[in-house]
Amino acid sequence: MNANASSQPSRVLVVDDDDTIRFLVSLALEQAGFQVEQAVNGRHALMVFETVVPDLVIMDVMMPELDGFAACAELRRRPDNTLLPILMMTGLDDHESIDQAFNVGATDFITKPISYPLLGHRVRYLLRASAAMMRLRESERQLATAQRMAQLGYWQWSHGQECLRLSAGVCTVLGFDAATPDIPLSVLRNFIHEEDQPRVWQWFTDVCEHGNSQEINYRILDARGVMRYVRQQVETLFDEKRRTLQLYGTLQDITKLRQAEERIRELAFTDSLTQLPNRALFKDRLGEAIKLAKRYDRLLALLFMDLDNFKRINDTLGHHIGDLLLRTIAERLREGLRTSDSIGRESMDSLDSGVAWRQCNIARLGGDEFTVLLAEVRRYEDAAVVAERIQKQLSRPLMLEGHEVFITPSIGIAIFPRDGDDAEALLKNADMAMYSAKHQGRNLYCFYDVSLNETALQRLSIENQLRKAIDRHELSLHYQPQLDLPSGRICGVEALVRWQNPVLGFVSPIDFIPLAEETGLIIPIGEWVLRTACQQARIWQDAGCGLSRMGVNISVLQFMQPDFPSLVARILQETDLKAEALELEITESLLMRDPDGANHTLQELKALGVQLAIDDFGTGYSSLSRLKQLPLDRLKIDRVFVQEVNTRPDDAAITTAVIAMAESMGLRVIAEGVENEAQLGFLRDKQCDEIQGYYLSRPLPADQLTALLHQYQRV
């Protein structure tokens, strides 16, 4: 690769027939700094590949015309593609597809739903591994060329001679003086490594008796005591009575070649960042440990660990500090686990890759995920003791290049045979238990329970039904009115999505909105909500209901789409709704995630003429100076401050301060969650502009709210 090429961003080909997933994957990669090309199926991918020659391919498994398996196999058959990283996208529990993907040549797989914030790190890791493998392959090629060009060392022996005649090359390998090339065969035998002598001597005897010229590799200790790997080949010349007349042999020093092979194995089975075993090695050894546990009828524990808020550290301090943190965590795990927690060498075969078995109980699966294998535990409580030790070890503060960093682990525990009788089941269930620990508050450990699987299946069922909700017309909007306190009239409404499914019944937004965010379904759902709300606002305006504003919540994922302002403009044009009648509500957390990017998008939206509001204000700790730079119209005080505004002085002080601050900045204030007369009175006394909550009305379907709008028009 030349200097100019190396400065260009890596090119990734994304192949998926699902437009949404292809778009989201491409967006995540572009934001991570990659150049992205797209293809809609396997056949299209093969055509695109010829013109763009990507550095990495991300490909879905199931596609029309030519699926991911066939496309992957075809790419592998083409010249120069043996090391091309191919990342296959599969379903979470689709183990058959994962196995088939590896069989046709996939480098790795990623499961759906995809964690888009971590996708860029995954791609960088594969590209680094591929680059390292290509460098190593080139090194092997150069070494092989040098060996072909070099004259091999040789020796010969004739019937009746006591000594072997050695070439200078053999003398160099053995560390002899080339001026004295003749040595007895017994002396040469003494150079063979003690452990290899029986095998080599049996091979040599067979060659002398039968003339078998098959080569053999073994170890020697040269005259300086240095161990070398050599390759030996012998030809036997017989007389007419099959008596040995002469022996001709070659000896080649293959130490560097053997080191290169070991390096390849290390790359295949070791995580390059932490030098811990990787997923492939860990799964293999977990399977071996399970076999031993079955044979000796004993318990085995698997701990699946994820670092809490690791992404925040990466985003705040940079990936260099994140890598330092991962290496430090690996070292702390090594130090913190006693030998008794480890897989014993006597219970396992030795590793050719040189990784000591005392370390093979710990592995890094990728990202910030680590596993610990306890190959023999007497009680379930033993696993808990180790988990607590890990928590204590990792929770100590770290100093990384002048930055004090605090990190905590969430740990899931699965026990063999109770929680699974194979490696896949134990890993899946330990992973599930880890997520349960995160949902319970983080920095916890949690044992797997069958109810977790039921929860996961229920979540999968909700996701499957949600994917069809728009097409089946199962979604609807309810509207909660907002009251202008000085005039006593309804000044606006907030659109809230509801879901009624024939299988699941009524599904709370608390359950399906976070799932829609995680899976990317919030993009089509959010577009449907925005269009439907604008259509309804236009209907009410045409009916003379006096509605001046329609509020629509915008998700983080929607807001991050580059074409979001264009989408808003298009929907306003389609529905013939004036821009000032639409208010888009965003959260403080969105502003904090990417302040500069958020400001740019807000400015584009403001240029359209829409109104902008900060939802749940007071919970995100955004700075006043930042708010002053944004083109906002309204602040919505979060309901948590309004609920006890009459009984908690702190809440009253915060609410009063927000109202005063907004007034000084020329912003209107609306208080959410107003449920009683006392709250209303407090807010009116503090000159709050607007209220919203059950005191005025719960969210209503469009027809019921129409009647309410007419009622307040007569006020």
Side-chain angles (χ1 to χ4, degrees), residues 485 615-619 635-656 658-659 669-684 686 688 690-695:
L485 289 180
D615 197 14
D616 301 333
F617 185 77
T619 60
L635 300 182
K636 300 187 73 174
I637 303 176
D638 189 79
R639 66 183 65 251
V640 298
F641 302 113
V642 175
Q643 285 175 348
E644 299 184 69
V645 72
N646 298 102
T647 57
R648 290 176 58 90
D650 289 348
D651 289 351
I654 291 173
T655 302
T656 302
V658 170
I659 294 172
V669 178
I670 180 169
E672 298 182 286
V674 178
E675 298 180 355
N676 55 55
E677 185 71 35
Q679 295 168 347
L680 176 63
F682 177 89
L683 294 166
R684 182 178 280 119
K686 300 302 179 183
C688 181
E690 303 169 12
I691 67 161
Q692 175 180 343
Y694 275 36
Y695 179 78

Side-chain angles (χ1 to χ4, degrees), residues 117-126 128 311 314-315 319:
L118 295 179
L119 182 60
H121 306 303
R122 185 76 166 270
V123 169
R124 288 191 185 93
Y125 174 82
L126 287 177
R128 287 199 298 267
K311 182 180 183 300
N314 250 352
D315 292 344
H319 296 289

Side-chain angles (χ1 to χ4, degrees), residues 166-168 170-183 191 223-224:
L166 309 181
S167 71
V170 173
C171 291
T172 300
V173 173
L174 297 177
F176 283 169
D177 185 350
T180 56
D182 295 345
I183 61 169
F191 281 88
R224 296 176 296 275

